Amino acid sequence: MKRINSKIKNFFGLGDAGFSFMTTVETSFFLIFLTDVANLPLAWAAIISTLTGVCDTVSAIVAGAIVDKCNLKHGKYRSWLLYGPPFVIVFFALQFTKVGTDLTAAIVICLGFIISHFIWNIAWTANRSLVGALTDEPTERAHLSGRISAGSSIGKLFASKLVPLMAVAFAGLFGGGAVWGYTCTALVGAALMLVGYYVHYFITNGYDLPEPKAEKGTELATVEKVSVLDMLKGVFANPPLVATVFCDFIRLIGYYALMAFVAYYSKVMFPESSAAVTGNVLLAFNLGTLVGSLLSKHAVAKFGTKMSTIIGMAGCVVFTAIAYFFAGSQIAVIVLIFVSQVFFGVAYGLTTSLYTNCATYSEYKTGKNTKGFIMGLCSFSIKMSIVLRGLVITTGLGIIGYSAEAAITDSLAGGATIMCFIVPAIFIAVAIIPLLFYKLDDKEVMEMDGEIALRKKAAIEKAEADDQAAAE
């Protein structure tokens, strides 16, 4: 397999920056849009968020199966970066509209959400799967994986600051009210995703070529054909993948819980300046993740993919836990959270590498390319961790007796700091355990990729020879 060129090295990750900007419009502002902008009853907002969340989780798995089964003319993975984004723009904007009655508006919003997410889950999975098609070299895969994570962090940084301003500006500019402001903001976010994914499409030209078509009954056709059973075997007969999914799922609960608890911690510990403290801590949080992501490839070159991930997660646990003891100092918390997320960013930046290595292992063992389905499990881990993160937050708030009107006591402050720092650290620490069962070595993965390439070459040559013999 040829090495990645300078365009890919420098610009891969822009698609993830645009995608992350778009998704931040939703993850940070969708619920408040439903309740405070569209003025839907709280019960309707709960139904919409639950229904769409379940559908989104299911579509993440289905997306991987679709990517595996399709072989489009612009490349097995690149094609989705070209075809998907224009449709996402239209349906994502519908999520942020208020049409007719509450019932009509809820139906339109749900349809916009479900359809846009189904399409973008396919494009997202294809984008992640593309890494394995671009290179088989561990440090290059780590570089691309780090670029993906860095792009995601950059998108979140810009969106967290710009989205509220854009919503207000668009509302005033077009005179359509707050709803129209959010609709336009959603359009801009989806357009940025389109631009970024199109950049990925063009800079990877010549790498992800369509797989050769084979006649029924030939060896090549047998290699290419992928069934649902093959996809399931690629998961359950793949110990490294099981370890990766459990690790990713558990650590993301801690990651997203920390992000959400910052606001409660700030309100309890710094009631006079809670908004500013929340913004400062989250800025340090995302900057740290970005820096760590950029360091991922250097860590892999020295320690390997697995050990770099473990070191990153362990460092995050240590510094997040230390922040608990300095909870009364805003500056100390900002510094410690930044350092903790630099460590986490190293591990987070290798997420795509871990899943890609597992996909290689699966194809080596089964002879079936189920990369799309396996990369879809990465999306599944994210979505399920967010769902369970919500349960952790609400349960934790109930245990410490938090309510918006409750008086701030020492007991409440102590509980809030435990929930903000100690609980996420525990989840991330526990997530290290399944990774200990990840037995893939980077050198072994390279050898597997080489063997897979030889198998495909031999199958193609045999199919061509058979065709020539039949013609004679």
Side-chain angles (χ1 to χ4, degrees):
M1 184 179 290
K2 63 182 178 180
R3 304 274 74 88
I4 55 176
N5 59 36
S6 59
K7 291 181 180 179
I8 296 175
K9 289 181 179 179
N10 295 328
F11 297 107
F12 202 83
L14 286 179
D16 300 275
F19 181 87
S20 184
F21 189 102
M22 175 188 69
T23 56
T24 301
V25 177
E26 177 187 302
T27 56
S28 297
F29 304 100
F30 184 51
L31 277 175
I32 198 169
F33 168 81
L34 295 176
T35 58
D36 293 20
V37 179
N39 293 316
L40 294 175
L42 186 59
W44 279 111
I47 292 172
I48 291 171
S49 61
T50 302
L51 175 62
T52 54
V54 171
C55 291
D56 188 25
T57 301
V58 173
S59 73
I61 299 298
V62 176
I66 290 174
V67 170
D68 279 336
K69 281 188 167 293
C70 293
N71 183 27
L72 305 176
K73 69 176 182 178
H74 295 293
K76 186 176 183 64
Y77 308 115
R78 293 176 66 244
S79 297
W80 296 110
L81 307 184
L82 181 66
Y83 301 146
F87 294 98
V88 173
I89 291 178
V90 176
F91 290 103
F92 185 61
L94 290 179
Q95 280 186 234
F96 295 89
T97 58
K98 176 68 183 295
V99 180
T101 65
D102 288 347
L103 176 59
T104 302
I107 292 173
V108 172
I109 290 170
C110 284
L111 287 175
F113 188 112
I114 293 170
I115 296 174
S116 66
H117 283 57
F118 178 70
I119 298 171
W120 93 31
N121 280 335
I122 296 175
W124 185 93
T125 299
N127 183 59
R128 294 299 178 96
S129 302
L130 186 57
V131 170
L134 294 176
T135 178
D136 58 2
E137 207 279 320
T139 56
E140 288 191 342
R141 284 186 174 178
H143 175 82
L144 296 179
S145 184
R147 287 288 181 175
I148 286 174
S149 182
S152 296
S153 298
I154 291 172
K156 292 174 186 175
L157 280 172
F158 279 96
S160 61
K161 296 296 183 182
L162 291 179
V163 169
L165 299 177
M166 291 169 60
V168 173
F170 282 129
L173 180 63
F174 296 106
V179 171
W180 186 242
Y182 273 90
T183 305
C184 292
T185 302
L187 284 170
V188 171
L192 290 174
M193 181 272 296
L194 179 146
V195 172
Y197 272 5
Y198 275 24
V199 169
H200 281 198
Y201 172 80
F202 286 110
I203 64 176
T204 56
N205 184 38
Y207 283 81
D208 176 38
L209 300 176
E211 295 181 355
K213 294 182 179 180
E215 297 297 327
K216 183 177 180 181
T218 67
E219 184 176 351
L220 182 58
T222 303
V223 172
E224 290 179 352
K225 187 177 180 181
V226 179
S227 67
V228 174
L229 182 60
D230 293 327
M231 296 176 191
L232 294 177
K233 286 181 179 178
V235 176
F236 295 107
N238 194 332
L241 178 61
V242 174
T244 298
V245 170
F246 273 100
C247 169
D248 197 27
F249 166 64
I250 297 170
R251 71 181 179 181
L252 287 178
I253 295 175
Y255 174 79
Y256 289 120
L258 176 54
M259 289 183 68
F261 268 120
V262 166
Y264 298 101
Y265 154 78
S266 301
K267 182 177 180 180
V268 170
M269 297 298 295
F270 306 98
E272 301 299 324
S273 56
S274 61
V277 174
T278 299
N280 292 337
V281 175
L282 288 178
L283 180 62
F285 183 96
N286 287 314
L287 278 174
T289 307
L290 171 60
V291 173
S293 300
L294 296 175
L295 296 175
S296 294
K297 69 171 183 177
H298 302 291
V300 168
K302 189 172 182 63
F303 302 109
T305 302
K306 173 184 174 178
M307 188 53 62
S308 296
T309 303
I310 292 175
I311 292 172
M313 293 167 65
C316 175
V317 170
V318 171
F319 284 95
T320 302
I322 292 174
Y324 166 76
F325 297 99
F326 294 87
S329 170
Q330 177 188 168
I331 294 176
V333 167
I334 289 173
V335 172
L336 289 167
I337 289 300
F338 172 80
V339 176
S340 78
Q341 289 308 301
V342 169
F343 276 98
F344 188 85
V346 171
Y348 189 55
L350 296 174
T351 301
T352 302
S353 290
L354 287 173
Y355 280 96
T356 301
N357 289 349
C358 292
T360 296
Y361 175 86
S362 174
E363 186 172 1
Y364 176 78
K365 289 293 185 180
T366 68
K368 306 292 184 180
N369 181 359
T370 57
K371 191 180 281 94
F373 186 74
I374 289 174
M375 297 309 296
L377 293 177
C378 179
S379 177
F380 176 79
S381 295
I382 294 173
K383 297 174 191 303
M384 284 303 298
S385 67
I386 291 175
V387 172
L388 289 189
R389 181 276 309 259
L391 295 177
V392 171
I393 292 171
T394 54
T395 301
L397 293 176
I399 291 173
I400 66 176
Y402 175 87
S403 72
E405 297 79 21
I408 299 175
T409 63
D410 290 341
S411 175
L412 181 60
T417 53
I418 290 174
M419 297 306 300
C420 186
F421 303 114
I422 300 302
V423 170
I426 290 173
F427 273 102
I428 296 171
V430 171
I432 295 175
I433 297 174
L435 199 60
L436 299 177
F437 297 91
Y438 177 94
K439 301 298 183 180
L440 279 181
D441 178 80
D442 289 344
K443 184 178 179 181
E444 290 178 327
V445 173
M446 281 193 70
E447 293 173 351
M448 290 177 187
D449 270 312
E451 174 64 25
I452 291 168
L454 290 175
R455 290 177 188 172
K456 289 183 176 179
K457 181 179 179 181
I460 293 172
E461 290 175 349
K462 184 177 185 303
E464 292 175 345
D466 290 343
D467 289 342
Q468 185 175 358
E472 294 174 353

